[in-house]
Amino acid sequence: ESGITDYELTVWRKHSNGGNNTVDLVPHIIHSATSVGKEAKSINWHHFHLHDGDFVYVVVNASNGAGSVVVTETDGYTVDTSPPLLLFLGDGNQPGTDLQYSPSITDLSVNWEFEDLESGLDHYKLAVFQHHGGSRLQIYPAEKNDWVVVEGSAAGWTNSEPLNLVP
């Protein structure tokens, strides 16, 4: 075999219509065909001015020493710059409820409902703070600026270690 002699990459974008039928849905080149050599395994280009909902993909032309070219494209990705939508946030472990009082000074639960129709929810990050004497203090996790990571399919959280909540 003659081996690969060059990879040539072209970046394409198709705008999302966002429910607007007047938006141009024809793909457009946003980075012209560029030779990246035969050793390239990845490339990192910046400043494309993408918008929420844009679909981006790359067309790769691989050339060999015999002059044959194979053209293929990535499966692409959709740009999602919109945050998840908060539908409900409540104290307690019962979905859709918001406790006003709790008899416990060691246990804490929270429940929530979020949605992200574009890309879904991967995970949540949370920390427990307590306001006392005009100060806001992170009490869980104990390490300041640390977070508890909760799986994106979860709808709530309850502490696994006893907390020392000030009554």
Side-chain angles (χ1 to χ4, degrees), residues 131-142:
H131 289 270
H132 188 69
S135 297
R136 180 176 179 246
L137 177 67
Q138 181 174 331
I139 61 171
Y140 190 82

Side-chain angles (χ1 to χ4, degrees), residues 54-132:
D54 284 354
F55 181 75
V56 180
Y57 62 98
V58 177
V59 174
V60 179
N61 295 347
S63 304
N64 68 12
S68 296
V69 177
V70 172
V71 179
T72 189
E73 64 185 54
T74 65
D75 60 355
Y77 63 90
T78 301
V79 176
D80 180 6
T81 61
S82 62
L85 177 63
L86 171 63
L87 302 174
F88 182 81
L89 179 62
D91 299 303
N93 62 4
Q94 295 297 316
T97 63
D98 186 17
L99 294 179
Q100 297 302 308
Y101 304 98
S102 173
S104 178
I105 61 169
T106 60
D107 296 322
L108 182 69
S109 294
V110 61
N111 70 93
W112 57 74
E113 185 179 356
F114 284 88
E115 73 177 16
D116 189 326
L117 300 176
E118 294 84 12
S119 60
L121 294 155
D122 180 64
H123 67 278
Y124 301 94
K125 293 185 345 182
L126 64 92
V128 178
F129 292 84
Q130 185 164 295
H131 289 270
H132 188 69

Side-chain angles (χ1 to χ4, degrees), residues 34-64:
T34 302
S35 171
V36 295
K38 66 180 184 179
E39 303 299 324
K41 300 295 181 209
S42 66
I43 197 75
N44 193 2
W45 288 322
H46 302 275
H47 308 293
F48 286 119
H49 306 290
L50 302 173
H51 304 282
D52 190 54
D54 284 354
F55 181 75
V56 180
Y57 62 98
V58 177
V59 174
V60 179
N61 295 347
S63 304
N64 68 12

